[in-house]
Amino acid sequence: MLENPFQETLLSRHRAEPCTVVIFGATGDLTNRKLIPALYNIAACGDLPPQFKVVGFARREKTDEVFRAELETGNRKNSRQGHNDELWDSFAQCIHYHRSEFEDPAGYVNLKLLLDQFDQERGAPANRLFYLASAPEAFKPILEMLRATGLNEGVGGKWARVVCEKPFGKDLVSARALNEVVNATFHESDTYRIDHYLGKETAQNIMVLRFANALFEPNWNSRYIDHVQITCAENLGMEGGRGGYYDTAGALRDMVQNHLFQLLSLVAMEPPTDLSADSVRDEKVKVIRALRPLVGPEAVGKNVIRAQYTAGSVDGVPRVGYRQEDRVNPESKTEPYVALRLFIDTWRWQGVPFYIRVGKQLPKKATEISVHFKKPPQVPFATSNLIKNSENTLVIRIQPDEGIALRILCKQPGQAMNMQQVKMDFRYSNSFGKASPEAYERLLLDAMAGDATLFARRDEVENAWKFIDEIEHAWHKAANPPPMHEYPAGSWGPKEADDLLRQDGREWRLL
Amino acid sequence: MPASSLNESDLGRLGLETPISRIDRELKKLWESDEAKTRASLINLAIYTEDSSFLAADNDLLDRVAAEHACRALLILALPEAQPPRARAWIQALCRPYQGRQAVCSEQISFVLEGGDAAQVQNIVFAHLDSDLPLVVWWQADLTKNFHERFYSRIDTLIIDSARWSDPSRQFDALLAAQREATARFDVRDLAWTRSHLMRTALAGCFQDAAALQNLSKLRKLTITHLKGQRMTALLLAAWINKRLNTTLQLELVEKDSGHALQSLVLEGVGLRGEVRRDCDSSFVHVCATCGQHEHKELLPADADSDAELVNEQLSRRGGSTLYSGMLPLIQAML
């Protein structure tokens, strides 16, 4: 293959080669709110591959012009860097619409003709990226049709890849079945399972923090770390009709299996041998495999607290209870809140609990990881004034207000040897005036450039489901399932979740 | 330069005049006086100039750069020939709003050093650095006299703008000599090179397809239109193109009195033509490539090319540019 001598190989990231992105489910919310604004912002940064095309594939009848106009409206509302008419006009020329049912073979034959026509216009074949942004039940027919028409194979030495949106299955069986279909169509190395948490700047920074700073890694083990907390709090409920989907999933499947396990892996993984996608993912999957299984209702009841919110208020605004939410079953057994105590059975983490909590209608929106270090074995000062929770804490704020804070003890000024907690605080927004790219910008560029580091691999997904399934089984299939607890909307969760830590002599960090 | 040639209104914009010995105390007061201000700093950024007419522009530039790169900013105007020797200093906070109520601020210390020598400059700079942070220096003067080994051996990143140099050949010699010193550890960032970034990027997109790539050896002529005073920028771009094509194209430089630093680039050969053009009033670059019957057009965002934006761009990058270093022998041959 001819090399372009003007491509500067010394740029910080490889510029992707000419590419066509086909979005399945292109009339959906994700395309309008996230994908097209992300591509537009990539274009605004000058990082879009030359001769780029995007094809929206969906069932509704519409023309290119109508599709572009709809996306323009969405982009004006959602673009991170605002909307420039001149740039949009140029960018919009690369957007096309292709109407077809997902199960209609003729639709895929026509799609192939369209992509071939683009290649002809370019004068050479281009790479093809198929983005599955449709409802999950459509993944299978789409993939089968792609295979049947040969669209899963690159043309003229170019690649064909697939990006799968979450949820990737709803349990181990369905994830495996989906993986079988995906891998029968695309090679695993061409499969990109997206988890947008991994595209967030602070999530990427976890590896840098751990492995580029000699300060932390020697202390990053059970000898010095008392416990780790991962919190993902949302101050919203089931607004915008989300209850319909959410009530079939719940916090454990919707958040813990993917986003929070990804964060857990980044915090707990061993240093990878290099930064290749597989080296990083090899280490991450080891963490999930090493999670001590929670088998049976007793183990689950002791270590996992599930709860539903009752009526309450958030920010002074009254909120209804979970079962009264729009499109939620009034008899629902789904949990909008879950707290877990996990153990990772490795040398590094033996005996260190990882507490995870995620919930809706909590007092504020915040995702963070806090690493709580052990107290010094002996403090040579008067212990009477040692304050509660005086251990050193490293907080990694994922969103909002991305940054890192370190809590340490200092002597208060004065004659007495009194100690006071102080916080060293690094905020991305203070130190770096430039806004970080949206997670989808980073992930789309990575998929086009062939870097799968920030995407989940098959074994990661399946091992995560394997662990989660045991808990779901205890909740929904056991004769004596652990109870569903309650908490008022606007509180920090059920009392039982506080007790989960209290029985270990710890408490949740107040965010 | 006599002290009287300093423009007092320019000096007035530098903030609060402070005796040099009281700078730290006055800075502390500055932060204590307003709790809504948060101080942030990731680097020490010093601008060194020997031309008082740049003082106001450099002051504005630091304000814009600090909005993206929190720093301890040092602005140093040295007037080695001025008598009697005198050193004056000013402090100010460079703030930008954050979350409506608070302001995130960098601090700027400005010096006017009349008379004095290399030792005075380095002492002043080293005494006012934010410790443990990298030192980035934009050296706007000639690389002579005060650009001394004791000084540059402590610099992490040296920013220059070779387009400003009146005698580029001598200056490149001085730069290379400094780089050869065992103690030198600085990366060089040339703003003239950064200015050509969008043209280089656009050119890569221009000849992306296979047919064009197969015919690159047919290219014969290169025409670059540039703003008056940006010849060095155009030459760096031409040298890079020759290097990438491993040839020496017939070069024509067209100079304009107004417009962007680099305005157009045309590469021509039999059956193949590539053009990258940036119109005066546009913030985009038009790319057009023709290979036989096939024509490809593209619109790319243009990099902003004000000095502040070029410095911001450089500060966003990490590591030196081996690409630029590799260009230096070539460019010296073209001067």
Side-chain angles (χ1 to χ4, degrees):
Chain A
M1 200 168 73
L2 284 170
E3 286 279 324
N4 181 344
F6 298 121
Q7 282 280 13
E8 291 181 31
T9 52
L10 295 174
L11 286 175
S12 57
R13 64 174 298 133
H14 180 67
R15 192 164 187 234
E17 293 176 358
C19 176
T20 300
V21 175
V22 181
I23 302 173
F24 291 93
T27 49
D29 191 44
L30 184 73
T31 307
N32 201 281
R33 263 188 334 110
K34 295 286 182 188
L35 300 182
I36 291 297
L39 290 169
Y40 171 83
N41 280 283
I42 293 171
C45 294
D47 289 330
L48 208 58
Q51 300 168 313
F52 177 79
K53 294 276 186 191
V54 53
V55 178
F57 186 115
R59 295 178 173 125
R60 290 177 213 164
E61 191 69 59
K62 62 181 75 176
T63 61
D64 284 356
E65 285 68 31
V66 170
F67 186 50
R68 288 169 186 166
E70 287 171 359
L71 296 177
E72 183 178 354
T73 308
N75 194 64
R76 282 184 191 279
K77 219 161 84 184
N78 300 309
S79 166
R80 174 176 65 89
Q81 299 181 76
H83 182 95
N84 176 290
D85 288 332
E86 190 181 0
L87 179 61
W88 175 265
D89 289 345
S90 167
F91 174 70
Q93 293 310 304
C94 73
I95 301 176
H96 301 267
Y97 186 76
H98 182 74
R99 200 216 77 80
S100 172
E101 297 294 323
F102 294 139
E103 302 83 2
D104 180 11
Y108 291 81
V109 173
N110 290 333
L111 174 66
K112 192 169 191 289
L113 290 173
L114 182 66
L115 300 186
D116 290 346
Q117 180 198 319
F118 292 156
D119 286 349
Q120 270 192 334
E121 287 167 12
R122 289 186 184 103
N127 297 318
R128 292 167 182 181
L129 184 71
F130 298 100
Y131 198 114
L132 306 189
S134 61
E137 50 273 22
F139 285 9
K140 193 175 171 206
I142 293 169
L143 288 162
E144 285 171 351
M145 289 295 164
L146 288 174
R147 189 173 64 216
T149 39
L151 280 165
N152 58 330
E153 302 285 347
V155 181
K158 299 294 175 184
W159 49 253
R161 293 182 186 138
V162 67
V163 178
C164 302
E165 260 296 335
K166 79 159 203 178
F168 202 83
K170 56 179 184 166
D171 53 22
L172 179 59
V173 172
S174 58
R176 268 188 186 149
L178 190 50
N179 274 326
E180 289 304 324
V181 182
V182 172
N183 286 168
T185 309
F186 291 92
H187 192 272
E188 180 61 26
S189 61
D190 289 322
T191 304
Y192 291 68
R193 296 173 192 85
I194 210 159
D195 186 325
H196 72 270
Y197 260 55
L198 290 178
K200 290 180 186 292
E201 204 71 63
T202 340
Q204 293 168 47
N205 194 38
I206 295 171
M207 277 209 293
V208 176
L209 179 79
R210 288 190 53 200
F211 304 132
N213 295 294
L215 178 67
F216 297 115
E217 195 51 24
N219 306 323
W220 210 262
N221 53 51
S222 60
R223 193 168 167 194
Y224 298 103
I225 290 179
D226 179 72
H227 72 283
V228 177
Q229 296 182 17
I230 303 178
T231 299
C232 178
E234 285 192 49
N235 54 0
L236 294 175
M238 301 296 126
E239 293 83 350
R242 277 187 293 174
Y245 159 72
Y246 194 86
D247 203 39
T248 65
L252 191 67
R253 285 175 172 155
D254 187 54
M255 294 295 293
V256 178
Q257 184 273 341
N258 39 65
H259 303 323
L260 297 191
F261 272 9
Q262 288 291 340
L263 295 181
L264 174 73
S265 303
L266 288 168
V267 172
M269 68 192 269
E270 296 297 319
T273 49
D274 56 55
L275 280 180
S276 69
D278 274 335
S279 292
V280 173
R281 296 189 297 182
D282 282 348
E283 297 307 332
K284 277 166 56 197
V285 76
K286 280 183 203 166
V287 174
I288 305 297
R289 276 203 205 113
L291 281 172
R292 189 181 299 167
L294 298 174
V295 183
E298 194 183 337
V300 170
K302 253 174 87 178
N303 293 287
V304 186
I305 302 297
R306 58 173 172 161
Q308 292 178 339
Y309 52 85
T310 54
S313 71
V314 177
D315 291 333
V317 179
R319 303 286 167 95
V320 297
Y322 177 68
R323 291 185 180 185
Q324 288 77 51
E325 292 272 22
D326 180 30
R327 301 186 203 187
V328 170
N329 179 354
E331 303 292 315
S332 175
K333 298 272 186 237
T334 301
E335 76 297 344
Y337 177 98
V338 65
L340 304 97
R341 172 174 49 205
L342 304 174
F343 288 92
I344 298 168
D345 285 332
T346 60
W347 273 36
R348 184 190 283 264
W349 295 116
Q350 201 52 240
V352 178
F354 285 74
Y355 301 103
I356 292 179
R357 60 176 163 168
V358 50
K360 302 270 188 195
Q361 299 287 31
L362 298 183
K364 58 155 82 163
K365 179 178 168 67
T367 302
E368 66 157 52
I369 300 162
S370 56
V371 179
H372 299 250
F373 289 87
K374 287 183 175 167
K375 289 179 182 160
Q378 195 258 334
V379 183
F381 309 109
T383 51
S384 58
N385 62 46
L386 265 184
I387 30 190
K388 202 171 66 165
N389 293 333
S390 61
E391 76 270 10
N392 298 139
T393 311
L394 178 73
V395 179
I396 303 166
R397 291 189 300 271
I398 306 293
Q399 67 177 16
D401 197 15
E402 294 92 332
I404 296 165
L406 182 62
R407 191 173 66 181
I408 56 175
L409 281 176
C410 278
K411 179 188 170 298
Q412 274 181 359
Q415 304 299 336
M417 185 55 85
N418 286 335
M419 283 177 279
Q420 170 74 48
Q421 284 179 11
V422 294
K423 194 164 82 168
M424 294 160 64
D425 205 351
F426 157 71
R427 291 160 193 260
Y428 267 86
S429 53
N430 279 12
S431 298
F432 301 102
K434 218 171 179 174
S436 300
E438 280 280 323
Y440 275 98
E441 292 172 42
R442 169 69 198 252
L443 295 171
L444 277 164
L445 259 183
D446 277 2
M448 288 190 271
D451 185 349
T453 311
L454 301 179
F455 294 83
R457 204 169 57 186
R458 175 176 182 161
D459 50 353
E460 279 182 276
V461 172
E462 291 184 6
N463 278 288
W465 275 126
K466 192 173 162 193
F467 183 88
I468 294 294
D469 273 5
E470 294 287 358
I471 300 172
E472 291 284 349
H473 188 93
W475 282 350
H476 301 294
K477 292 186 181 162
N480 51 344
M484 175 75 78
H485 302 286
E486 292 183 340
Y487 62 102
S491 72
W492 272 111
K495 176 188 164 296
E496 289 76 8
D498 294 343
D499 293 343
L500 184 72
L501 272 73
R502 206 162 283 145
Q503 62 197 231
D504 295 344
R506 302 181 178 104
E507 60 183 36
W508 290 109
R509 225 179 80 76
L510 194 63
L511 269 66
Chain B
M1 182 183 288
S4 57
S5 69
L6 285 166
N7 183 328
E8 281 303 321
S9 76
D10 288 350
L11 295 177
R13 294 170 61 189
L14 298 177
L16 175 72
E17 184 160 10
T18 308
I20 292 180
S21 60
R22 293 185 56 87
I23 285 176
D24 286 340
R25 256 176 286 178
E26 293 300 327
L27 281 172
K28 200 172 162 221
K29 271 204 239 167
L30 187 72
W31 300 119
E32 285 170 353
S33 65
D34 188 347
E35 287 182 359
K37 285 178 180 167
T38 302
R39 190 179 76 93
S41 186
L42 291 176
I43 52 167
N44 292 290
L45 173 62
I47 293 184
Y48 175 87
T49 178
E50 293 179 4
D51 186 338
S52 60
S53 67
F54 282 128
L55 196 63
D58 286 339
N59 190 49
D60 291 344
L61 179 140
L62 283 173
D63 190 27
R64 292 178 63 188
V65 171
E68 279 199 23
H69 298 276
C71 61
R72 162 72 67 90
L74 302 176
L75 175 55
I76 304 146
L77 167 64
L79 305 168
E81 311 304 328
Q83 287 300 328
R86 185 161 73 134
R88 299 168 69 187
W90 291 258
I91 60 165
Q92 64 178 317
L94 309 174
C95 297
R96 61 187 166 86
Y98 173 66
Q99 292 185 344
R101 292 168 290 116
Q102 281 183 303
V104 176
C105 302
S106 293
E107 51 197 13
Q108 178 181 324
I109 313 173
S110 307
F111 299 97
V112 174
L113 308 176
E114 294 166 285
D117 53 11
Q120 188 195 23
V121 171
Q122 80 195 26
N123 289 350
I124 286 279
V125 171
F126 293 158
H128 294 95
L129 296 180
D130 211 340
S131 55
D132 299 322
L133 295 178
L135 173 59
V136 180
V137 176
W138 181 7
W139 194 272
Q140 295 181 347
D142 282 351
L143 300 172
T144 51
K145 293 182 186 166
N146 287 349
F147 191 69
H148 189 268
E149 186 273 336
R150 291 289 301 276
F151 181 72
Y152 64 65
S153 63
R154 306 302 298 270
I155 296 176
D156 296 286
T157 301
L158 176 69
I159 298 175
I160 54 169
D161 185 356
S162 61
R164 288 189 183 195
W165 287 342
S166 53
D167 184 355
S169 180
R170 214 169 117 234
Q171 296 305 313
F172 275 123
D173 284 346
L175 177 66
L176 289 170
Q179 281 187 305
R180 279 195 293 271
E181 289 283 348
T183 53
R185 56 176 186 169
F186 57 82
D187 297 321
V188 180
R189 314 285 174 87
D190 187 347
L191 299 187
W193 175 241
T194 315
R195 250 176 229 116
S196 70
H197 179 256
L198 85 156
M199 289 283 179
R200 289 181 273 131
T201 309
L203 200 54
C206 192
F207 296 116
Q208 184 65 48
D209 64 61
L213 289 176
Q214 269 169 348
N215 288 289
L216 284 181
S217 60
K218 293 179 180 169
L219 290 171
R220 292 288 176 268
K221 189 180 173 195
L222 168 63
T223 308
I224 300 175
T225 305
H226 65 86
L227 179 66
K228 190 176 178 182
Q230 294 295 334
R231 183 170 182 273
M232 202 56 229
T233 305
L235 281 178
L236 281 165
L237 177 60
W240 175 76
I241 291 170
N242 281 340
K243 187 161 193 237
R244 304 313 291 176
L245 291 174
N246 201 19
T247 186
T248 306
L249 298 171
Q250 179 196 336
L251 175 64
E252 185 182 350
L253 297 183
V254 181
E255 192 176 277
K256 297 279 186 187
D257 288 329
S258 61
H260 294 287
L262 290 173
Q263 298 171 21
S264 76
L265 174 163
V266 180
L267 272 166
E268 292 169 288
V270 180
L272 183 63
R273 186 177 189 279
E275 180 179 1
V276 180
R277 192 186 80 249
R278 183 177 186 187
D279 296 333
C280 216
D281 53 351
S282 175
S283 47
F284 296 96
V285 175
H286 297 266
V287 178
C288 180
T290 315
C291 181
Q293 300 299 310
H294 180 63
E295 187 182 64
H296 156 63
K297 284 186 178 177
E298 205 174 350
L299 187 72
L300 291 173
D303 298 344
D305 58 3
S306 72
D307 285 345
E309 282 147 337
L310 292 174
V311 172
N312 271 334
E313 169 70 22
Q314 283 300 348
L315 295 178
S316 301
R317 295 182 186 183
R318 292 290 171 262
S321 168
T322 50
L323 201 65
Y324 176 74
S325 308
M327 299 274 306
L328 291 184
L330 272 178
I331 195 71
Q332 279 184 304
M334 292 173 80
L335 291 171

